[in-house]
């Protein structure tokens, strides 16, 4: 497991026993039996001393196995609330400067076949463990050891206190929705952990968020395997959760059968697995996806429920999705009902209190419960795109008072979902960016949202005045969020500027200089993919910044994966990003075979690409479950990597990190 639900408090005795087992001579050559006369004892002794003296901070334990030339540092946590801040500390102290790849900045699943990891698993039962690897170069191993020792010494000098800073549940929910909408796979997971820690949500609501996140990633099998799923379903979950559960049934159980035209097999599988369909389909069908509605039709066939079939057919007609039904299902539905609903009109339900984006934004000033209901049920999906009322919405956002403006961030995730990539509501997106800057939203997840909003703004073709003002605002706050450990987010912003029309070249160049200069000063701390891409962006802007590093180590380590003949499928709805990253990958690793897709739903061509790929890298920003669920259903989950972000730098960094990890 990556995480364990509970851990026993660490005591001096339990720590001593763990250290003795961990550093036993047959297991670990970093300090065999913790013998005083060992020549390298002084390299490891500080970690042991701190572990014994400060049980309130994470354990940091070096491990060396000379026989296989394997050196790893484990960071071991026994409190859930320490996971997120520890990940940030590892990124700050070690990060891309000393780690083989950025995936090490997350907890890992320990391998009981490795003796040292079996000892950790059998000890006190820790909440999470990070595994840090600097690669095979001794100099880099020494630097990683020094960095982690410094981290421990800094923590040990701090007074004993809880690291857990409690945020209001409402703000965390807003950050979760926004990060998820912006393609923040890791960021949304970290916020979900914080929501678990605060205790502000009950088990059902935490389950709803988990299902929502897994649905976005296309992890349908994981949804169906969630514990106590039956209890969640019986508690009448909101419409988006019902839809996610129906979609997960479609892709995990019946999609392959329907693709082969075998409706009978799909019906039999659904009889065996769809034990809670009655609860999920109870009441009006407030679902909008073809896959979920397909399950509704099959359920109607199984139950011979004429009303359900008629309702599903009418919904499909009204959403213009009827022709997207799998052919076997469509044929059976027509044979049972005939084709008498070409002009079907769904009887309107009672008009909700909030029925447009303008009314939603205005309601922020009243702290209306109706706002929460719209977000809970995704009622905004029935409204026209915000792009149709862009100026009105932007004016309302600009006119909100401080408290209402703070609350307005709760709808930014829904806003990003609603506009996608096709409907640029540029003025509204600009207003949200200014909201983020005003309220100091500079956490990693916030930066992903700002980059996504910037892309929306730029696609809206702002005039020179709006363009220059926005870039100056971003630049004025840059010293608060630009840092080497956030290089991918910074580079995504710069890349967005370069991929979009520019009405003010001086403003673009000035912001590019402000964002890239701090990274240039600390070039040695950048991940190799970030460094390579930073140089490209610098060249396109004509800045001429210095990017000096000790490149020998990086080049020596990267030769193996760069020469591998590997098939990689990159998925995003932003075709400019796909083309940009393809170009960069081909220059970094010429033997990598890159295929790109921005398909909105599954099809035979996408199935072929997925099944022939050695690695699939997904950007989930605005991606529909019809695509992510389809991809995940046709390839092993071990071959999928999710990007934390939606820009070129984030995609490139994730892809290179995965290639290095798998083939380096």
């Amino acid at each position: 497991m990556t995480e364990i639900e509970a851990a026993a408090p660490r005591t001096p005795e339990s720590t001593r026993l763990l250290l003795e087992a961990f550093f036993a001579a047959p297991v670990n050559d970093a300090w065999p039996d913790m013998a005083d006369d060992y020549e390298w004892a002084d390299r490891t002794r500080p970690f042991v001393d701190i572990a014994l003296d400060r049980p309130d901070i994470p354990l940091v334990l070096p491990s060396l196995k000379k026989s296989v030339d394997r050196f790893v540092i484990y960071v071991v946590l026994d409190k859930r609330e320490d996971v997120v801040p520890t990940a940030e500390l590892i990124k700050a102290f070690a990060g891309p400067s000393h780690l083989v790849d950025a995936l090490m900045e997350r907890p890992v699943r320990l391998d009981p076949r490795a003796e040292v990891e079996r000892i950790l698993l059998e000890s006190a039962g820790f909440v999470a463990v990070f595994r840090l690897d600097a690669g095979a170069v001794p100099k880099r191993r020494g630097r990683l050891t020094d960095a982690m020792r410094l981290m421990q010494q800094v923590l040990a000098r701090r007074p004993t206190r809880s690291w857990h800073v409690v945020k209001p549940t409402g703000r965390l929910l807003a950050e979760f929705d926004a990060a998820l909408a912006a393609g923040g796979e890791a960021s949304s997971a970290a916020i979900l952990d914080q929501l678990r820690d605060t205790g502000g949500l009950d088990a059902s609501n935490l389950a709803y968020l988990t299902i929502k996140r897994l649905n976005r990633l296309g992890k349908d099998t994981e949804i169906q395997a969630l514990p106590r799923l039956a209890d969640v379903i019986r508690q009448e979950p909101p419409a988006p959760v019902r839809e996610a559960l129906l979609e997960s049934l479609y892709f995990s159980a019946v999609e392959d059968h329907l693709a082969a035209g075998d409706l009978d097999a799909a019906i039999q599988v659904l009889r065996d697995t769809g034990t809670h369909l009655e609860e999920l389909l109870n009441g009006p069908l407030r679902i909008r996806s073809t896959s979920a509605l397909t399950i509704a039709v099959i359920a109607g066939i199984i139950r011979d429920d004429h009303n359900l079939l008629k309702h599903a057919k009418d919904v499909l007609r009204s959403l213009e999705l009827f022709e997207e039904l799998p052919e076997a299902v469509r044929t059976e539905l027509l044979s049972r009902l005939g084709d008498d609903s070409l002009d079907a009109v769904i009887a309107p339900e009672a008009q909700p209190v909030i029925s447009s984006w303008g009314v939603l934004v205005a309601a922020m000033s009243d702290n209306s419960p109706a706002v929460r209901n719209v977000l809970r049920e995704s009622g905004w999906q029935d409204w026209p795109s915000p792009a149709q009322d862009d100026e009105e919405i932007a004016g309302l956002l600009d006119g909100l008072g401080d408290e209402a403006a703070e609350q307005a961030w709760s709808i930014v995730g829904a806003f990003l979902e609603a506009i996608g990539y096709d409907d640029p509501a540029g003025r509204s997106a600009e207003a949200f960016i200014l909201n983020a800057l005003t309220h100091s939203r500079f956490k990693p997840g916030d930066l992903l949202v700002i980059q996504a909003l910037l892309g929306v703004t730029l696609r809206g073709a702002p005039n020179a005045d709006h363009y220059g003002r926005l870039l100056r605002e971003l630049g004025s706050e840059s010293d608060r969020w630009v840092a080497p450990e956030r290089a991918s987010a910074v580079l995504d912003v710069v890349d967005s500027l370069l991929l979009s029309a520019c009405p003010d070249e001086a403003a673009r160049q000035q912001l590019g200089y402000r964002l890239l200069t701090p990274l240039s000063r600390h070039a040695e701390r950048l991940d190799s993919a970030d460094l390579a891409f930073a140089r490209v962006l610098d060249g396109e802007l004509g800045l001429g910044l210095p990017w000096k590093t000790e490149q020998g180590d990086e080049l020596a380590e990267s030769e193996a994966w760069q020469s591998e003949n590997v098939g990689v499928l990159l998925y995003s709805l932003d075709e400019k990003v796909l083309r940009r990253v393809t170009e960069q990958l081909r220059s970094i690793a010429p033997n990598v075979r890159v295929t790109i897709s921005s398909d909105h739903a599954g099809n035979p061509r996408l199935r072929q690409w997925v099944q022939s790929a050695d690695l699939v890298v997904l950007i989930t920003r605005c991606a529909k479950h019809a695509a992510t669920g389809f991809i995940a259903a046709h390839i092993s989950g071990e071959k999928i990597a999710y990007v934390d972000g939606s820009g070129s730098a984030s995609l490139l960094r994730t892809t290179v990190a995965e290639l290095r990890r798998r083939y380096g």
Side-chain angles (χ1 to χ4, degrees):
M1 292 179 59
T2 298
E3 292 187 4
I4 298 170
E5 286 300 321
R10 184 150 48 97
T11 65
E13 180 63 15
S14 67
T15 302
R16 183 184 62 78
L17 292 173
L18 170 61
L19 293 172
E20 289 177 354
F22 188 86
F23 290 107
V27 176
N28 192 345
D29 297 316
W31 190 11
D33 293 329
M34 295 188 287
D36 290 336
D37 58 351
Y38 182 61
E39 61 177 328
W40 301 110
D42 289 344
R43 295 290 288 169
T44 306
R45 191 190 308 274
F47 296 107
V48 172
D49 291 343
I50 292 174
L52 292 169
D53 292 343
R54 291 296 299 268
D56 57 306
I57 65 176
L59 285 169
V60 176
L61 304 174
S63 171
L64 172 65
K65 197 69 174 176
K66 291 181 179 178
S67 61
V68 293
D69 191 26
R70 173 71 165 162
F71 178 76
V72 173
I73 293 181
Y74 296 95
V75 182
V76 184
L77 285 69
D78 56 8
K79 294 189 289 293
R80 180 184 291 278
E81 61 265 28
D82 289 351
V83 173
V84 174
T86 299
E88 289 293 310
L89 285 170
I90 290 171
K91 183 183 293 187
F93 280 87
S97 305
H98 309 305
L99 299 179
V100 170
D101 64 60
L103 297 176
M104 294 175 184
E105 297 163 7
R106 307 185 198 177
V108 297
R109 185 187 301 271
L110 294 177
D111 184 356
R113 295 172 298 179
E115 193 169 6
V116 69
E117 298 193 5
R118 177 182 56 77
I119 290 169
L120 292 176
L121 284 168
E122 293 176 352
S123 59
F126 296 102
V127 166
V129 178
F130 295 81
R131 184 196 296 124
L132 311 183
D133 186 349
V137 180
K139 185 186 297 184
R140 293 195 67 177
R141 291 177 174 180
R143 290 171 180 168
L144 176 61
T145 303
D146 292 341
M148 298 313 296
R149 185 172 65 246
L150 178 61
M151 184 186 86
Q152 285 300 84
Q153 290 170 345
V154 170
L155 290 176
R157 294 191 185 104
R158 294 173 59 179
T160 301
R161 62 180 180 180
S162 170
W163 293 12
H164 188 42
V165 179
V166 178
K167 281 187 181 180
T169 300
R171 177 160 183 172
L172 286 173
L173 284 170
E175 291 179 1
F176 174 82
D177 286 338
L180 199 60
E185 183 268 338
S187 298
S188 61
I191 299 167
L192 186 55
D193 281 338
Q194 288 181 272
L195 281 162
R196 290 192 184 100
D197 296 340
T198 62
L201 295 177
D202 60 23
S204 294
N205 282 297
L206 286 171
Y208 298 161
L209 298 181
T210 300
I211 291 168
K212 184 176 181 179
R213 180 174 178 275
L214 293 175
N215 176 259
R216 172 53 61 87
L217 302 177
K219 295 187 175 184
D220 299 302
T221 303
E222 290 189 30
I223 291 176
Q224 289 298 310
L226 286 172
R228 299 183 293 277
L229 190 59
D231 294 334
V232 172
I233 293 172
R234 291 191 189 102
Q235 293 173 14
E236 298 186 0
V241 175
R242 293 188 184 205
E243 183 167 84
L245 290 167
L246 292 169
E247 288 181 326
S248 70
L249 266 178
Y250 178 84
F251 284 105
S252 65
V254 305
E255 190 268 337
D256 279 341
H257 296 300
L258 295 177
D262 193 344
L263 178 59
D264 291 338
I267 288 174
Q268 186 57 51
V269 171
L270 203 56
R271 286 184 190 274
D272 297 337
T273 60
T275 54
H276 304 289
L277 279 176
E278 187 169 348
E279 293 99 321
L280 289 173
L281 296 171
N282 185 35
L285 287 183
R286 296 190 182 92
I287 53 180
R288 300 164 180 83
S289 75
T290 306
S291 52
L293 287 163
T294 299
I295 294 293
V297 172
I298 299 175
I301 293 170
I302 292 172
R303 289 158 29 184
D304 196 21
D305 187 334
H306 184 275
N307 289 332
L308 177 57
L309 291 173
K310 179 67 165 61
H311 195 176
K313 183 180 178 183
D314 290 349
V315 172
L316 285 159
R317 292 289 194 194
S318 68
L319 296 174
E320 299 182 350
L321 297 176
F322 188 78
E323 296 302 320
E324 295 183 13
L325 275 179
E327 184 177 356
V329 178
R330 186 171 66 249
T331 300
E332 180 66 20
L333 181 57
L334 289 174
S335 72
R336 290 179 177 244
L337 296 183
D339 200 14
D340 58 353
S341 301
L342 292 175
D343 300 314
V345 177
I346 304 296
E349 299 180 27
Q351 186 73 1
V353 175
I354 298 178
S355 57
S356 71
W357 284 97
V359 176
L360 179 65
V361 174
M364 291 294 160
S365 299
D366 302 326
N367 195 21
S368 169
V371 172
R372 292 190 291 274
N373 187 61
V374 165
L375 298 177
R376 173 185 167 86
E377 298 290 338
S378 294
W380 49 267
Q381 292 186 355
D382 295 325
W383 306 341
S385 167
Q388 294 191 18
D389 300 304
D390 187 26
E391 290 291 340
E392 176 196 356
I393 296 167
L396 289 167
L397 286 169
D398 289 338
L400 293 175
D402 288 344
E403 183 177 352
E406 170 74 22
Q407 294 170 356
W409 198 251
S410 65
I411 68 172
V412 72
F415 173 81
L416 285 172
E417 294 275 9
I419 56 176
Y421 283 103
D422 301 325
D423 294 325
R427 286 281 292 111
S428 302
E430 178 187 347
F432 275 120
I433 294 173
L434 296 177
N435 179 305
L437 300 178
T438 301
H439 293 276
S440 301
R441 304 186 193 279
F442 301 124
K443 299 293 259 184
D446 296 330
L447 296 181
L448 304 185
V449 178
I450 289 173
Q451 187 271 329
L453 290 168
L454 179 62
V456 175
T457 301
L458 297 177
R459 283 194 296 276
N463 61 36
D465 289 340
H466 281 287
Y467 183 91
R469 184 187 71 160
L470 178 58
L471 268 55
R472 286 191 295 273
E473 291 284 353
L474 284 167
S476 68
E477 300 286 347
S478 62
D479 59 336
R480 303 179 62 187
W481 57 276
V482 176
E485 59 268 22
R486 297 179 175 182
S488 290
V490 176
L491 297 175
D492 280 345
V493 169
V494 178
D495 189 53
S496 293
L497 298 175
L498 287 165
L499 291 178
S500 304
C502 174
D504 187 339
E505 181 61 39
R508 181 171 72 174
Q509 192 167 35
Q510 183 177 16
L511 179 59
Y513 180 82
R514 294 199 64 157
L515 300 186
L516 293 180
T517 298
L519 303 186
S520 169
R521 290 173 182 156
H522 301 283
E524 72 284 351
R525 296 184 58 192
L526 299 185
D527 174 270
S528 59
D530 288 338
L531 178 60
F533 196 47
R535 287 173 170 148
V536 170
L537 299 179
D538 180 307
E540 292 183 8
L541 285 169
L543 300 178
L545 296 171
W547 300 93
K548 296 180 180 179
T549 63
E550 296 181 24
Q551 296 182 24
D553 293 349
E554 289 86 352
L555 291 174
E557 287 186 284
S558 62
E559 286 177 356
W561 68 264
Q562 285 182 329
S563 61
E564 286 287 334
N565 185 9
V566 179
V568 177
L569 172 63
L570 306 179
Y571 180 85
S572 170
L573 293 182
D574 191 330
E575 296 183 12
K576 290 183 179 179
V577 164
L578 291 175
R579 289 194 295 269
R580 167 80 93 173
V581 174
T582 298
E583 179 183 347
Q584 293 304 308
L585 275 177
R586 286 173 176 164
S587 67
I588 295 172
N591 288 339
V592 172
R593 292 172 281 107
V594 182
T595 305
I596 62 174
S597 173
S598 55
D599 292 341
H600 288 250
N603 55 62
R605 180 186 65 175
L606 181 57
R607 179 186 291 109
Q608 180 181 354
W609 286 346
V610 170
Q611 292 178 337
S612 63
D614 299 299
L615 171 65
V616 177
V617 188
L618 285 172
I619 286 179
T620 59
R621 154 114 167 84
C622 293
K624 302 303 181 185
H625 189 265
T628 58
F630 181 88
I631 290 170
H634 290 93
I635 193 171
S636 166
E638 295 178 352
K639 292 185 177 182
I640 299 177
Y642 297 92
V643 180
D644 196 42
S646 58
S648 302
S650 297
L651 178 56
L652 180 64
R653 186 185 194 195
T654 301
T655 306
V656 169
E658 284 292 334
L659 290 171
R660 184 186 288 124
R661 182 174 71 86
R662 295 162 190 260
Y663 304 103

